[in-house]
Amino acid sequence: MDRLKNPARLMIVSDLDHTMVDHHDVEDLSLLRFNALWESNYRHDSLLVFSTGRSPTLYKELRKEKPMLTPDITIMSVGTEITYGNSMVPDEGWVEYLNQKWDKNIVTEEASKFSELTLQAETEIRPHKVSFYVQKDKAQAVTKALSESIAKRGLDVKIIYSGGMDLDILPQGAGKGQALAYLLKKFKTEGKLPVNTLVCGDSGNDAELFSIPDVHGVMVSNAQEELLHWYAENAKNNPKIIHATERCAAGIIQAIGHFHLGPNISPRDVADFSECSLENVNPGHEMVKFNLFYEKWRRGEIDYNMAYIASLKADCHPSGVFVHPSGVEHSLPDGIKCLPNFYGDKQGKKFRVWVDRVLASQISSDTLLVKFHKWELSDDERRCCLTTAVLTSKGSSIADGYTWVHVHQTWLEGAGAKDQSTWLF
């Protein structure tokens, strides 16, 4: 990734459904805990990769439903599509590689001869993936027979069964594991091989990830039978792979701590904000800390203590400016002074705040320009602002902390508030 000049300190490669995203967690708390940890400690020097069986269509639908971060790399359709950044630019080299000994029409023709297979939705049929549903008790026999019939047609394919019902047919060189191997080889060629890589999964189509040499791996506590069976047969004595005791994203956080890959205490787990600090100060932590305080203040989850407000005001330049997404300009210190009026106004209501894509650039020896997306979920309305902040160091180095000088927000297209007066910061 061009964003990082040096090798990533940590690269997390995670499945989405039932791994990063817990569909049984109605508040999405484990995901929000991971988000806060990543943006405050890792975004600036690490890589986040989502590796999902979902097609681009279903992946984008999930992003609209859940408070997910923007990954640096997205691997979709069971390792058959690799894209980069928020714009999801495809990796053309991977496409060319997968075209070898692959013909989607022949695969579809041979599969149609099996009455046990039900073709999945059109959105799930991709250039290098053909997907079906099959009953669990028939999966093994169908997989064997179908593999033989396709091989007779001169193709080299891979058939993956996962989730107790999904059967995917891919080029032999495809899959989540091969896609990761391809990326690692690419990084190594560029001299940017990550210092550590952690793979995370819950189902059979994630097994390949754990087969890649030299990576750490975590099977979340809710991992499915087919992955646990693979683990028992292939990796039970591998100390680099663990079966977490925590579900989904909480299991990923647990693995970061288990393997000593870096900080593993999410700012969301720190009760006293005066203790929410880092050994190495970075602007990501500053953005997470403020917005998390803002959420908890309005939810009434922290004590009504004016010392918090005094501390925030002290962090603002006396003539600091805040430009509301409506375009109205306010005094930054005066905005902080208004916060007591909103203490607990979201108590007992659905209200969450998270930040995404925190990136900082130094514009002078003591000044940083920080850009990020600030999201709010209020009741069932999701709103987002592109936020730009100018920070200066309080002392001779950034370790002394920051002073907020200027904050400018603009609505992200399609994500503005219906009532702009409800958006405070």
Side-chain angles (χ1 to χ4, degrees):
M1 290 293 297
D2 294 336
R3 180 173 69 79
L4 300 183
K5 295 179 181 179
N6 299 310
R9 173 167 57 113
L10 173 63
M11 181 166 76
I12 286 185
V13 183
S14 178
D15 174 53
L16 291 178
D17 295 288
H18 310 294
T19 302
M20 182 63 74
V21 177
D22 188 346
H23 293 283
H24 298 287
D25 181 1
V26 293
E27 291 278 341
D28 294 310
L29 286 178
S30 64
L31 181 56
L32 289 167
R33 287 177 59 222
F34 175 85
N35 291 356
L37 176 65
W38 188 261
E39 293 295 336
S40 64
N41 291 276
Y42 294 97
R43 174 70 80 175
H44 63 289
D45 65 359
S46 298
L47 292 173
L48 181 61
V49 182
F50 288 158
S51 183
T52 177
R54 287 179 177 246
S55 64
T57 299
L58 292 186
Y59 167 68
K60 291 173 183 176
E61 286 182 8
L62 185 65
R63 284 185 60 85
K64 292 177 182 178
E65 297 168 4
K66 296 292 183 178
M68 293 163 53
L69 297 181
T70 301
D72 298 285
I73 303 172
T74 314
I75 302 171
M76 294 168 288
S77 305
V78 199
T80 61
E81 300 180 60
I82 300 175
T83 66
Y84 298 93
N86 186 54
S87 301
M88 298 178 69
V89 178
D91 189 312
E92 297 298 340
W94 184 239
V95 173
E96 292 176 13
Y97 173 73
L98 294 185
N99 282 334
Q100 301 171 35
K101 288 193 175 183
W102 171 258
D103 188 315
K104 190 172 78 170
N105 292 330
I106 291 177
V107 169
T108 304
E109 180 185 327
E110 289 301 315
S112 68
K113 299 174 183 177
F114 291 80
S115 61
E116 300 92 338
L117 296 176
T118 302
L119 193 65
Q120 292 189 16
E122 188 176 342
T123 58
E124 301 312 290
I125 311 303
R126 304 296 298 167
H128 298 97
K129 180 177 82 77
V130 185
S131 297
F132 300 87
Y133 296 118
V134 63
Q135 292 180 14
K136 189 174 182 179
D137 59 343
K138 297 178 180 178
Q140 187 173 356
V142 169
T143 297
K144 184 176 184 297
L146 179 57
S147 180
E148 292 172 354
S149 68
I150 293 176
K152 290 177 181 177
R153 298 291 298 273
L155 301 186
D156 194 9
V157 304
K158 172 188 298 182
I159 301 177
I160 299 176
Y161 177 67
S162 64
M165 62 178 181
D166 297 311
L167 188 142
D168 299 309
I169 309 172
L170 326 169
Q172 184 60 242
K176 290 186 175 184
Q178 279 87 338
L180 174 56
Y182 171 86
L183 287 173
L184 290 173
K185 183 178 180 181
K186 192 172 184 177
F187 285 132
K188 188 174 183 179
T189 301
E190 297 170 351
K192 293 183 179 181
L193 187 67
V195 177
N196 284 299
T197 297
L198 173 66
V199 301
C200 321
D202 78 296
S203 72
N205 67 18
D206 299 316
E208 290 183 355
L209 292 173
F210 298 95
S211 302
I212 302 301
D214 302 321
V215 303
H216 300 279
V218 55
M219 301 179 299
V220 291
S221 69
N222 52 291
Q224 297 182 28
E225 180 184 336
E226 68 255 15
L227 182 59
L228 296 178
H229 177 74
W230 175 89
Y231 172 72
E233 293 289 324
N234 300 277
K236 196 169 185 179
N237 296 318
N238 185 348
K240 283 196 166 187
I241 299 176
I242 64 167
H243 185 192
T245 58
E246 300 279 352
R247 290 179 57 86
C248 300
I252 298 174
I253 295 173
Q254 180 185 355
I256 292 173
H258 176 87
F259 293 120
H260 307 289
L261 301 177
N264 70 317
I265 298 176
S266 171
R268 281 191 173 270
D269 297 331
V270 178
D272 187 346
F273 277 86
S274 64
E275 297 177 359
C276 189
S277 59
L278 289 178
E279 290 182 10
N280 299 310
V281 178
N282 72 76
H285 178 70
E286 194 81 3
M287 302 306 122
V288 169
K289 183 178 176 181
F290 172 77
N291 284 285
L292 187 53
F293 165 80
Y294 174 74
E295 174 198 299
K296 290 179 178 290
W297 180 264
R298 295 192 66 183
R299 286 174 61 93
E301 293 179 346
I302 53 179
D303 293 337
Y304 183 90
N305 188 340
M306 289 303 292
Y308 289 134
I309 303 301
S311 176
L312 287 175
K313 190 179 175 185
D315 288 340
C316 295
H317 193 278
S319 58
V321 172
F322 168 60
V323 181
H324 189 272
S326 63
V328 178
E329 194 172 291
H330 302 277
S331 160
L332 194 52
D334 287 349
I336 296 297
K337 284 196 296 185
C338 289
L339 278 177
N341 299 330
F342 297 93
Y343 178 80
D345 69 324
K346 297 293 184 180
Q347 193 167 26
K349 300 177 182 178
K350 186 185 290 186
F351 182 73
R352 295 293 179 188
V353 179
W354 67 97
V355 298
D356 181 25
R357 300 174 65 189
V358 180
L359 295 173
S361 55
Q362 196 144 358
I363 54 178
S364 72
S365 60
D366 65 347
T367 306
L368 290 173
L369 182 68
V370 186
K371 293 184 178 182
F372 61 96
H373 286 179
K374 186 230 172 167
W375 287 90
E376 277 189 17
L377 173 66
S378 185
D379 295 324
D380 290 321
E381 183 185 4
R382 279 171 53 127
R383 308 171 293 191
C384 182
C385 272
L386 172 60
T387 303
T388 304
V390 177
L391 310 179
T392 59
S393 58
K394 288 183 175 179
S396 58
S397 72
I398 60 173
D400 296 317
Y402 300 101
T403 297
W404 295 63
V405 177
H406 188 93
V407 179
H408 191 120
Q409 293 186 323
T410 55
W411 294 120
L412 200 64
E413 186 176 355
K418 295 174 184 176
D419 179 3
Q420 297 201 40
S421 65
T422 61
W423 182 277
L424 302 184
F425 278 100

